[in-house]
């Protein structure tokens, strides 16, 4: 029986994003790599990205985005169970789910530190690693916690300091990625109400793990004499083909599950991997160009943070409005991919 059949749903009540202060534009990159602003813009749609300095970690970014989402939930106000009259939405959070592929340490998970630093110590807290699909996977996980009755209110954060995995000399990866964090607060509610998330469609293919991989540092290969094995390697053109095909397939599946057609979608919020990937996917779904929500030009690919960051920007500039029917889809290393739907609620952002 699905969550929808049960009538229990996770409902979006707070949203926030945070980017590290340092920006690196294409001109700066082209001074140290064999590339150009023109090449990067044309092939990816990216003009600049935010990058962590050594004193900033994934947990630091997750705390900033999480705090904004909690303040957003408080500002959005008493739309359901757990919304205190004083707006202290944070006190009622009973689970923190962190989507990340770049935790502060290989062990333990980073989510408990995020919870404690936000004053949510004692809440359930754990990481989900599905790399660039992490946010959609963690959204499904948070929805499952709520549907199972294990939590009434969940803070979900997608945060990655992906630039820390990159070989600074690799022009194939450095222009593409940036760092950041985005977060949502979800509360228990019913499937029909605005902000209710679902249905979902999730998949993986481990046989293609080598297409995007950090070869060393795990149990298969703890150390390596080749320093390049510590860095993220990517077979760009193959990834491009899989990303466009899988995101379109999964989008169709989730639309079918909900009884929606592409014509029912008001906003398409795909993982911000590459503007051409998003445009190709939207086109193959038959979505109009103005449906596409994108902020990749100034963020790059922020991995698990990209969907909530794009949503926060779209709410701020009025592109994403209450009542909009939203299609989310993502693709990442693993391989992993997945999609989810929601009808956008009335939501107030907070600094
Ligand atoms: N600057 C200038 N030239 C570059 C370059 C760079 N940063 N990177 C590669 N090139 C060159 C290549 O060497 C190649 O030159 P050649 O034709 O002389 O051999 C040419 O540009 C085309 O390379 P190719 O890799 O085929 O380009 P592309 O159009 O596929 O674009 C990516 C490369 C990486 C932008 C694209 O494949 C991509 O976005 N893939 C998906 C990546 C992704 O989204 N990863 C995360 C998934 S979650």
């Amino acid at each position: 029986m699905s969550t929808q059949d049960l009538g229990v749903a996770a409902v979006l009540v707070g949203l926030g994003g945070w980017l590290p202060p340092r920006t690196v534009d294409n001109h700066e990159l082209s001074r140290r790599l064999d590339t150009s602003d023109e090449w990067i813009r044309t092939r990816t749609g990216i003009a600049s990205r935010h990058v962590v300095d050594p004193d900033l970690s994934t947990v630091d970014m997750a705390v900033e985005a999480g705090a904004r989402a909690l303040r957003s939930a408080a500002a959005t106000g008493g739309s359901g169970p757990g919304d205190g009259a004083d707006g202290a939405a944070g006190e009622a959070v009973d689970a923190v789910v962190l989507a990340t592929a770049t935790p502060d340490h290989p062990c333990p998970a980073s989510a408990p530190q995020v919870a404690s630093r936000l004053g949510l110590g004692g809440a359930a807290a754990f990481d989900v690693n599905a790399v660039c699909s992490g946010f959609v996977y963690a959204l499904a996980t948070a929805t499952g916690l709520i549907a199972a009755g294990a939590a009434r209110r969940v803070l979900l954060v997608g945060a990655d300091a992906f630039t820390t995995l990159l070989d600074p000399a690799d022009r194939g990866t450095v222009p593409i990625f940036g760092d950041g964090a985005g977060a949502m607060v979800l509360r228990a509610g019913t499937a029909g109400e605005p902000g209710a998330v679902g249905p979902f469609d999730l998949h993986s293919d481990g046989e293609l793990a080598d297409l995007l991989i950090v070869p060393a540092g795990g149990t298969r290969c703890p150390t390596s004499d080749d320093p390049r094995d510590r860095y993220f390697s990517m077979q760009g053109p193959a990834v491009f083909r899989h990303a466009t095909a899988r995101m379109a397939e999964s989008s169709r599946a989730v639309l079918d599950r909900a009884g929606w057609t592409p014509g029912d979608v008001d906003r398409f919020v795909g993982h911000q991997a590459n503007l051409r990937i998003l445009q190709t996917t939207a086109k193959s779904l038959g979505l109009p160009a103005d449906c596409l929500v994108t902020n990749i030009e100034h963020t790059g690919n922020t991995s698990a943070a990209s969907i909530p960051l794009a949503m926060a920007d779209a709410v701020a500039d009025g592109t994403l409005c209450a009542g909009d029917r939203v299609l989310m889809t993502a693709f990442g290393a693993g391989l992993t991919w997945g999609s989810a739907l929601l009808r956008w609620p009335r939501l107030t952002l907070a600094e």
Side-chain angles (χ1 to χ4, degrees):
M1 190 181 283
S2 74
T3 302
Q4 299 239 312
D5 297 332
L6 288 167
V8 178
V11 176
L12 172 62
V13 292
L15 176 72
W18 193 83
L19 292 161
R22 185 157 73 90
T23 57
V24 176
D25 68 16
N26 294 344
H27 298 287
E28 183 177 341
L29 286 187
S30 53
R31 285 195 289 276
R32 56 184 155 93
L33 288 170
D34 181 15
T35 189
S36 65
D37 176 54
E38 203 262 332
W39 192 96
I40 301 170
R41 276 181 191 268
T42 315
R43 301 291 178 124
T44 69
I46 300 165
S48 68
R49 69 288 293 145
H50 292 250
V51 172
V52 288
D53 282 318
D55 62 341
L56 263 184
S57 75
T58 294
V59 167
D60 296 330
M61 294 192 291
V63 167
E64 296 289 345
R68 283 189 179 176
L70 291 167
R71 288 194 291 270
S72 161
T76 297
S79 52
D83 285 302
D86 59 356
E91 288 171 23
V93 167
D94 40 28
V96 176
V97 181
L98 175 66
T100 189
T102 53
D104 280 19
H105 305 280
C107 178
S110 290
Q113 293 163 62
V114 175
S116 288
R117 282 181 46 188
L118 287 168
L120 305 172
F126 59 96
D127 294 359
V128 170
N129 182 357
V131 201
C132 293
S133 310
F135 196 81
V136 173
Y137 267 68
L139 186 57
T141 306
T143 299
L145 288 173
I146 287 172
R152 301 276 310 158
R153 184 180 281 258
V154 179
L155 174 65
L156 164 62
V157 188
D160 268 310
F162 220 83
T163 63
T164 63
L165 299 180
L166 306 181
D167 176 352
D170 181 8
R171 71 175 183 169
T173 53
V174 170
I176 291 172
F177 291 94
D179 302 323
M184 283 181 176
V185 177
L186 301 155
R187 66 159 170 80
T190 49
E193 64 180 302
V197 184
F200 288 90
D201 178 71
L202 303 174
H203 299 280
S204 74
D205 184 352
E207 291 192 5
L208 295 174
D210 286 348
L211 291 184
L212 304 128
I213 194 165
V214 180
T219 55
R220 173 69 59 199
C221 175
T223 56
S224 166
D225 292 337
D226 186 342
R228 286 172 303 182
D229 288 345
R230 293 198 313 267
Y231 294 124
F232 180 76
S233 90
M234 178 178 83
Q235 296 178 36
V239 170
F240 193 104
R241 285 194 299 278
H242 282 286
T244 48
R246 303 290 162 251
M247 292 205 295
E249 239 169 62
S250 174
S251 295
R252 281 190 202 99
V254 84
L255 291 173
D256 278 354
R257 210 158 288 167
W260 293 11
T261 66
D264 293 323
V265 176
D266 298 306
R267 294 287 170 238
F268 172 57
V269 192
H271 165 53
Q272 308 285 303
N274 176 322
L275 184 60
R276 288 191 300 131
I277 290 179
L278 291 169
Q279 289 169 335
T280 306
T281 307
K283 195 171 166 199
S284 84
L285 288 168
L287 300 173
D290 63 1
C291 190
L292 179 63
V293 169
T294 179
N295 65 350
I296 193 169
E297 186 178 2
H298 74 92
T299 61
N301 177 347
T302 56
S303 188
S306 87
I307 286 179
L309 277 171
M311 286 175 162
D313 278 356
V315 171
D317 71 17
T319 315
L320 194 49
C321 303
D324 282 348
R325 286 159 299 190
V326 179
L327 165 63
M328 283 172 260
T329 189
F331 173 89
L335 301 179
T336 55
W337 62 97
S339 305
L341 302 178
L342 89 153
R343 192 180 285 262
W344 200 256
R346 186 187 58 77
L347 208 59
T348 306
L349 294 180
E351 275 308 299

